Amino acid sequence: MAAPCAIMLDVDDKMNKVIAEGFSQDHVEILQCLTKSFREQDFRTGVEKGVFQNLWQILSKLSVEIRDFDSKKEGAESLILRLQLIAECFRSLRNACVQCARNQSLLRDMGFIEVSAEMLEFLSELELENTDCVLEALRCGIQFLGNLAVGNQVCKDDIWKHTFPHLFLKFLDHIDEKTSAYCSMVLYTCLDAEKVGDIILSEEVAMKVVSLCIKQPELDWGVLIVTQHFLKSSELVEKMFARLNNQERITLLDLVTAQLGEAGEATEESGIPVRLAEFIASCFEEHCKAVLTLVSDSSPKHEEALTVMRLLDILCEMTSDNKAFMDLQNYSELLKTTVELLKEVHFLGKANRNIFTTVQNFSDMGAPSHPVVGFKAQLIRLIGNLCHNNADNQNKVRELDGIALLLDNCNIDSNNPFISQWAVFAIRSVMDHNLQNQEVLKGLERRGVADDSSLREMGFRLEDRDGQLLLKPVSKETQ
């Protein structure tokens, strides 16, 4: 290929030739040469405005001809040629924007955003037997808008003005995965808090992003849109959740979990507002009884039960001494719902053999993929979290007769990994500096209700010291 400086000498002449003559395959090669030239930084930064003016004329001419195309008078080859030229124009423009704010501003000022958006909308409605050329033009056009937006707020706002919501609705769930992926890149690049407000008014776009996360789970753009933008708006998530099906809800809740894990202990960095945490708690309260239907329905794909499990997992993470969400301890109905649900699950498991029955033989355990594997353990974990350093909740557990319930779940259960450890933690949280609860526990022990043999098997014992009942490690001498 000739050096960039040599190309600059005759680029205007060649492009004028494209504008003046009827389109041909030679013109595709001219534009391909220009596309390659724009890969060079020196060429990009030094290109004259006239080159873009020529591209504008070519694209405008193509727009008119493709709209007026008559298949009865012209063959399919003529339409395919025009689509190839459109794709190559978009490739050149895409490359011209890379790390070049000057070119981005020039292209915006010349009206390329509006004409490109109109072209993309028209192309999406073309019906051809051979769709490859249309898809190539769509992909390149969307990539151009994405590159035009990068690092340029004025361009982002202008692209949003001409594309939201109609083009995102068309392309986020496009049959072509690359087209939908590139569209998600444009959406992510343009988004900010103000634009999330627009999505709240048109949540259909948000619904399509969640759907994209299911269809292309390896695609980063969809995940980033949800975790870095959508989850910061409780209002948007609440509106979405009401319309999502269970599979989509599970995907959304998995992304909440991922965002909490990404933030680690610095939960304020997750960007998840307290109002959203309270909404998740209210959803758990509303839907948690769905799990009870699994007593008679053993299907491991019960999506509503999976949704409840995800809600519970998130609440456990949020209340694990994460200061940003510890207000959930004051969400009075949450603890009551959790204790009462644990009662129902525990008693159902004792009434007859089902998925909630304690299993100490690991060969008899339920399928690892079953929705309620680990459910009782997580309920107990949540009770412990909500009672940690909280006297009101400690008292509420006692009032709900939850102390004996916790003691009765200290046994190993292969359907609930670590349930005995979480039970020990919960008992400690409920007893800590609470004399009334300790008296209840001593009374249970005297009546034989609180047999501590299970605790001893895990290395703990109950000790009465100066009227206070303590949970202590078992020493070698006392074993």
Side-chain angles (χ1 to χ4, degrees):
M1 187 181 97
C5 57
I7 296 172
M8 281 292 292
L9 295 175
D10 63 350
V11 68
D12 280 336
D13 290 338
K14 289 182 177 180
M15 294 186 72
N16 285 328
K17 182 180 178 183
V18 177
I19 296 168
E21 299 175 355
F23 292 125
S24 69
Q25 193 63 40
D26 290 341
H27 299 153
V28 175
E29 295 173 4
I30 291 172
L31 290 175
Q32 287 174 340
C33 182
L34 181 62
T35 298
K36 292 178 182 178
S37 298
F38 273 124
R39 293 175 184 170
E40 303 295 330
Q41 185 176 2
D42 289 344
F43 186 90
R44 286 198 304 272
T45 56
V47 68
E48 295 179 359
K49 183 178 180 180
V51 173
F52 294 131
Q53 290 173 330
N54 288 334
L55 276 173
W56 167 267
Q57 292 185 58
I58 294 170
L59 201 57
S60 298
K61 181 180 176 182
L62 285 165
S63 177
V64 171
E65 291 192 8
I66 203 167
R67 289 174 189 274
D68 295 340
F69 179 77
D70 187 344
S71 58
K72 295 180 180 179
K73 296 180 180 180
E74 301 180 76
E77 296 80 6
S78 177
L79 179 58
I80 290 173
L81 173 63
R82 286 166 173 78
L83 291 171
Q84 289 175 332
L85 287 164
I86 290 170
E88 208 56 52
C89 282
F90 281 140
R91 280 196 186 94
S92 291
L93 293 166
R94 176 196 67 189
N95 290 358
C97 294
V98 176
Q99 296 180 343
C100 192
R102 165 187 171 269
N103 290 352
Q104 288 175 320
S105 298
L106 272 175
L107 294 172
R108 186 197 71 82
D109 292 343
M110 293 174 67
F112 272 96
I113 293 174
E114 184 174 2
V115 74
S116 298
E118 291 174 355
M119 176 71 79
L120 289 171
E121 186 162 15
F122 178 79
L123 291 175
S124 70
E125 297 171 359
L126 271 181
E127 296 182 2
L128 295 176
E129 291 185 10
N130 183 354
T131 60
D132 290 346
C133 291
V134 177
L135 291 178
E136 198 64 27
L138 284 175
R139 293 169 185 170
C140 293
I142 295 171
Q143 284 180 311
F144 161 55
L145 293 180
N147 283 5
L148 190 63
V150 173
N152 192 310
Q153 190 61 49
V154 177
C155 287
K156 291 178 186 180
D157 294 342
D158 209 29
I159 290 170
W160 192 259
K161 174 184 174 182
H162 292 290
T163 60
F164 182 84
H166 57 287
L167 285 191
F168 294 111
L169 292 175
K170 279 182 179 290
F171 297 130
L172 280 171
D173 61 354
H174 197 275
I175 190 171
D176 177 54
E177 288 191 352
K178 289 186 178 179
T179 297
S180 56
Y182 297 153
C183 182
S184 68
M185 179 267 288
V186 176
L187 178 59
Y188 174 76
T189 305
C190 290
L191 270 179
D192 53 35
E194 182 178 350
K195 294 181 179 66
V196 170
D198 292 337
I199 292 179
I200 292 173
L201 301 176
S202 179
E203 74 268 19
E204 194 66 37
V205 171
M207 304 281 288
K208 289 185 181 293
V209 172
V210 175
S211 179
L212 180 62
C213 290
I214 295 174
K215 293 175 183 175
Q216 299 190 54
E218 75 291 345
L219 182 66
D220 289 339
W221 299 117
V223 172
L224 291 172
I225 290 168
V226 175
T227 57
Q228 295 188 12
H229 293 285
F230 290 177
L231 295 185
K232 293 180 179 180
S233 171
S234 177
E235 182 180 359
L236 176 58
V237 174
E238 290 176 33
K239 291 184 71 174
M240 290 168 58
F241 203 83
R243 295 186 56 191
L244 295 172
N245 61 39
N246 282 316
Q247 183 186 11
E248 292 166 338
R249 287 179 175 182
I250 290 167
T251 298
L252 179 62
L253 294 173
D254 283 342
L255 292 174
V256 174
T257 301
Q259 185 66 2
L260 288 170
E262 188 74 20
E265 294 182 1
T267 51
E268 65 278 0
E269 295 181 8
S270 71
I272 297 175
V274 173
R275 178 180 163 183
L276 179 54
E278 293 173 348
F279 172 72
I280 289 171
S282 68
C283 287
F284 176 73
E285 292 171 19
E286 180 181 351
H287 299 286
C288 65
K289 293 297 181 71
V291 173
L292 302 179
T293 62
L294 295 179
V295 171
S296 56
D297 180 6
S298 59
S299 171
K301 296 183 179 180
H302 198 292
E303 290 182 342
E304 190 171 4
L306 280 171
T307 302
V308 173
M309 191 68 188
R310 294 299 197 281
L311 290 166
L312 178 58
D313 290 342
I314 290 171
L315 290 171
C316 286
E317 287 300 317
M318 286 181 165
T319 55
S320 294
D321 200 27
N322 292 333
K323 294 179 181 179
F325 303 116
M326 289 316 290
D327 280 350
L328 287 174
Q329 288 187 318
N330 303 322
Y331 207 71
S332 59
E333 288 301 308
L334 179 58
L335 179 62
K336 180 181 177 182
T337 299
T338 306
V339 173
E340 291 181 345
L341 183 60
L342 178 60
K343 281 183 185 179
E344 292 188 69
V345 168
H346 188 57
F347 293 149
L348 282 172
K350 283 191 168 186
N352 52 62
R353 188 172 180 81
N354 54 60
I355 190 61
F356 298 120
T357 302
T358 298
V359 177
Q360 294 181 321
N361 184 348
F362 281 81
S363 63
D364 295 333
M365 67 182 292
S369 60
H370 197 287
V372 297
V373 168
F375 186 69
K376 283 174 65 177
Q378 289 291 73
L379 287 174
I380 293 169
R381 177 187 176 189
L382 182 57
I383 292 170
N385 288 352
L386 294 174
C387 291
H388 183 65
N389 292 332
N390 190 297
D392 290 339
N393 286 345
Q394 291 173 341
N395 295 334
K396 188 179 290 289
V397 170
R398 181 184 71 250
E399 294 162 4
L400 293 168
D401 297 323
I403 295 176
L405 179 65
L406 292 173
L407 287 169
D408 208 19
N409 279 281
C410 286
N411 294 310
I412 293 172
D413 180 1
S414 56
N415 279 335
N416 285 277
F418 306 108
I419 189 172
S420 51
Q421 288 88 340
W422 286 123
V424 170
F425 161 72
I427 292 168
R428 276 185 163 177
S429 295
V430 172
M431 297 297 141
D432 189 32
H433 294 96
N434 193 308
L435 295 178
Q436 287 179 284
N437 285 359
Q438 291 171 18
E439 286 298 322
V440 170
L441 186 58
K442 283 196 291 184
L444 291 172
E445 185 186 33
R446 284 193 295 270
R447 295 199 306 269
V449 178
D451 180 3
D452 71 349
S453 59
S454 296
L455 293 176
R456 287 181 174 274
E457 289 178 8
M458 294 183 292
F460 293 92
R461 61 187 174 86
L462 294 172
E463 179 182 305
D464 189 347
R465 181 185 297 174
D466 299 328
Q468 288 197 2
L469 200 64
L470 304 178
L471 197 63
K472 303 288 290 183
V474 175
S475 62
K476 293 181 178 180
E477 292 77 12
T478 58
Q479 280 184 315

